[in-house]
Amino acid sequence: DSGVTQTPKHLITATGQRVTLRCSPRSGDLSVYWYQQSLDQGLQFLIQYYNGEERAKGNILERFSAQQFPDLHSELNLSSLELGDSALYFCASSVGPYGSTDTQYFGPGTRLTVL
Amino acid sequence: DQQVKQNSPSLSVQEGRISILNCDYTNSMFDYFLWYKKYPAEGPTFLISISSIKDKNEDGRFTVFLNKSAKHLSLHIVPSQPGDSAVYFCAASLGNTDKLIFGTGTRLQVFP
């Protein structure tokens, strides 16, 4: 158990809908990262928050947005969903702001299926 | 454009033997490399890392080798154990961006 929790575990929705994925980091970690893993793909970095502020941005679509709240939990909002958004979404956390050298601890992921 | 490539989707090794997982990258500016292991229904777990100023880093049964001229990274597991059966991802980063770029993973199966 990494100490990172993600809810829900599974989510099935229809095209055009909007969903929210939630992540609680490990106690004491200030950074939260979001990744997308599509079928047979590696993890694609989406976005990082550090202590409530956006720190780094990857290939995140404009239909997607995220935020980190004062209690450090984070939410990833996906809107106008398309079939291609079906994927595993992972959240990770780390103590510091450095995505490469600070060890990232991953949650178990949320599997999103868009029908 | 896949900047980090793991060309072998799967590898099967007998228990006790060496497992060698390979990773190639295209961007010579990458300065930090990592390996993660992933079991089914779990998130990836950090395994070992190496800075571009080194060519080898060892941690118990796991050793990572970096060949900068060939833009090649490998993970050696010796001896391999059934519990090592998992998907292994290599990742690279540019220091000034701190973003991790992952490969597509190699599924390792260690059989008795």
Side-chain angles (χ1 to χ4, degrees):
Chain A
D1 184 357
S2 67
V4 178
T5 60
Q6 289 187 249
T7 57
K9 283 188 178 180
H10 301 277
L11 197 50
I12 301 175
T13 188
T15 56
Q17 295 298 305
R18 173 189 169 95
V19 296
T20 297
L21 312 183
R22 183 187 169 104
C23 169
S24 293
R26 291 188 326 153
S27 176
D29 284 359
L30 297 180
S31 273
V32 169
Y33 311 78
W34 286 98
Y35 292 87
Q36 178 193 56
Q37 185 185 18
S38 302
L39 192 64
D40 294 333
Q41 297 293 313
L43 287 82
Q44 302 288 326
F45 170 73
L46 296 177
I47 197 163
Q48 177 200 358
Y49 281 82
Y50 176 71
N51 205 19
E53 300 288 329
E54 181 184 308
R55 175 172 166 84
K57 212 165 185 175
N59 298 324
I60 188 167
L61 299 173
E62 285 193 14
R63 300 183 285 109
F64 296 1
S65 65
Q67 56 183 326
Q68 186 179 29
F69 294 87
D71 66 352
L72 301 176
H73 91 271
S74 178
E75 292 182 355
L76 178 67
N77 300 297
L78 314 176
S79 61
S80 301
L81 285 167
E82 302 175 359
L83 296 177
D85 297 327
S86 295
L88 262 173
Y89 290 85
F90 288 103
C91 165
S93 72
S94 68
V95 171
Y98 304 109
S100 55
T101 52
D102 292 332
T103 299
Q104 294 187 33
Y105 296 87
F106 282 78
T110 293
R111 181 171 293 281
L112 173 66
T113 302
V114 182
L115 300 175
Chain B
D1 178 28
Q2 193 74 21
Q3 296 188 68
V4 178
K5 300 177 186 179
Q6 294 178 257
N7 293 317
S8 298
S10 64
L11 176 67
S12 191
V13 172
Q14 189 172 30
E15 182 179 5
R17 301 282 187 133
I18 184 171
S19 294
I20 300 176
L21 296 100
N22 294 304
C23 179
D24 297 299
Y25 60 94
T26 57
N27 191 336
S28 58
M29 298 301 290
F30 285 144
D31 58 2
Y32 203 72
F33 303 87
L34 307 90
W35 285 93
Y36 276 81
K37 177 171 73 173
K38 184 183 181 303
Y39 293 118
E42 295 183 12
T45 303
F46 170 75
L47 198 54
I48 193 168
S49 62
I50 188 167
S51 165
S52 61
I53 62 173
K54 295 187 175 182
D55 54 19
K56 177 183 173 181
N57 188 27
E58 195 171 348
D59 183 2
R61 297 186 297 115
F62 302 92
T63 303
V64 56
F65 294 92
L66 176 61
N67 182 335
K68 288 186 288 292
S69 61
K71 296 193 189 71
H72 181 79
L73 186 70
S74 62
L75 174 68
H76 293 209
I77 306 173
V78 183
S80 300
Q81 300 173 354
D84 296 328
S85 297
V87 176
Y88 289 78
F89 292 97
C90 67
S93 73
L94 287 164
N96 61 345
T97 67
D98 271 335
K99 300 175 193 176
L100 291 183
I101 299 171
F102 282 84
T104 52
T106 296
R107 183 177 302 277
L108 172 66
Q109 183 182 9
V110 180
F111 60 92

